[in-house]
């Protein structure tokens, strides 16, 4: 009959009835799983590394600082006063590469500066080819010479016909005694 007397109130003796669930209430902040927390930490670490790289790139005046003890060690094998320990094979290859590079540099300079000219001390370079020089008279072979003679004969015959046509007052002369 308690519902007939609301002014009396509700009384309870169960301890669980007074408890409040702070985790599943609508206003509770969402919680992360362990995997999500690890992923979040990894993403934040990568972002911090990227930020450090960006700051190092944008501010080269800061320089590089290191507190690693190995950075202060001395390398007795790679120092400037150390003896040369290069293999003969590598030394020969390096010398060949440097020689090729200097030859390529010379070719590039010759190409880029044509005003310098060409210098040569080879005795054969001073010889002169009288047959293939631009001022040499061209030589004809037998077929070309015969064709040239035929064309010139036809041109002379055409010229004689043209002169006869243009000057009718000259008349026709005959060398045959029968006419």
């Amino acid at each position: 009959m308690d519902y007939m007397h609301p002014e009396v109130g509700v009384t309870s003796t169960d301890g669980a009835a007074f408890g409040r669930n702070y985790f599943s209430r609508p206003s509770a902040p969402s919680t992360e799983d362990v995997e999500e927390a690890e992923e979040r930490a990894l993403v934040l670490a990568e972002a911090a590394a990227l930020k450090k790289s960006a700051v190092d790139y944008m501010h080269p005046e800061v320089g590089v600082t290191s507190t690693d003890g190995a950075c202060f060690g001395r390398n007795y094998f790679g120092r400037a006063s150390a003896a040369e320990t290069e293999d003969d094979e590598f030394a020969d290859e390096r010398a060949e590469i440097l020689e090729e590079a200097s030859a390529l540099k010379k070719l590039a300079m010759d190409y880029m500066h044509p005003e310098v000219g060409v210098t040569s001390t080879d005795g054969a370079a001073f010889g002169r080819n009288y047959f293939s020089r631009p001022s040499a008279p061209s030589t004809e072979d037998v077929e070309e010479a015969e064709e040239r003679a035929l064309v010139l004969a036809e041109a002379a015959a055409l010229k004689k016909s043209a002169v006869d046509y243009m000057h009718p007052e000259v008349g026709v002369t005959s060398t045959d005694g029968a006419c």
Side-chain angles (χ1 to χ4, degrees):
M1 289 281 208
D2 290 336
Y3 63 89
M4 295 297 289
H5 300 284
E7 66 276 359
V8 172
V10 178
T11 59
S12 175
T13 58
D14 187 12
F18 296 108
R20 190 168 175 193
N21 189 348
Y22 290 98
F23 302 105
S24 63
R25 70 183 193 280
S27 63
S30 61
T31 58
E32 290 181 328
D33 294 348
V34 174
E35 291 179 12
E36 290 176 352
E38 290 174 355
E39 182 70 22
R40 181 174 175 266
L42 182 63
V43 168
L44 289 175
E46 288 177 356
L50 284 173
K51 179 181 178 184
K52 183 181 181 316
S53 295
V55 167
D56 291 345
Y57 182 78
M58 293 302 293
H59 298 286
E61 68 274 2
V62 173
V64 178
T65 58
S66 176
T67 57
D68 188 10
C71 291
F72 298 108
R74 188 166 177 196
N75 185 353
Y76 291 96
F77 301 104
R79 68 185 192 279
S81 62
E84 184 73 25
T85 59
E86 188 176 40
D87 292 341
D88 289 338
E89 180 180 320
F90 294 129
D92 293 340
E93 185 176 351
R94 183 168 48 102
E96 185 178 329
I97 288 171
L98 289 174
E99 183 180 332
E100 289 175 359
S102 65
L104 285 173
K105 180 181 177 185
K106 183 182 179 312
L107 285 174
M109 291 297 291
D110 291 345
Y111 181 78
M112 293 303 293
H113 298 286
E115 69 274 3
V116 173
V118 178
T119 58
S120 177
T121 58
D122 187 14
F126 295 110
R128 191 165 175 194
N129 188 351
Y130 291 97
F131 303 104
S132 63
R133 67 184 194 278
S135 62
S138 60
T139 57
E140 295 178 328
D141 56 356
V142 176
E143 291 180 13
E144 290 176 349
E146 291 174 356
E147 182 74 22
R148 183 172 171 267
L150 183 63
V151 168
L152 289 174
E154 288 177 358
L158 283 173
K159 180 180 178 184
K160 184 178 180 313
S161 296
V163 167
D164 291 344
Y165 180 78
M166 293 301 291
H167 299 286
E169 68 274 2
V170 172
V172 177
T173 58
S174 177
T175 58
D176 190 10
C179 295

